[in-house]
Amino acid sequence: MKGDRVEIVVDAGDTTRTYEVVASRAGRRVETAVRRGVVEVSEITRSGTVVRTARFMANRVLALVEQPIPREESPDKAE
């Protein structure tokens, strides 16, 4: 959903770097995958087309924080 984001904190030698991948438009989502020592974070459209991908070596990733946007509850469920 628009607004979903993933923050990636990477060890860059003597310091750390933080990267963000954000679902920038309505209908897009952010997905993460760890494959063969590589962390991939992708922004994907409704139809499944990858818009952009960030790849990091898994042994350099210090933190991977998924931050979904807060969903509003419908008025019927709030009692």
Side-chain angles (χ1 to χ4, degrees), residues 1-53:
M1 300 295 291
K2 180 178 179 181
D4 285 352
R5 69 183 174 148
V6 174
E7 289 183 48
I8 306 102
V9 180
V10 179
D11 177 17
D14 60 342
T15 185
T16 61
R17 291 191 180 191
T18 302
Y19 298 92
E20 267 189 2
V21 176
V22 180
S24 58
R25 289 185 159 180
R28 292 190 179 171
R29 64 187 186 276
V30 178
E31 291 187 357
T32 60
V34 180
R35 296 186 192 111
R36 306 184 97 191
V38 176
V39 176
E40 289 185 351
V41 182
S42 302
E43 181 181 357
I44 301 176
T45 64
R46 283 187 189 132
S47 62
T49 305
V50 176
V51 177
R52 60 188 170 134
T53 300

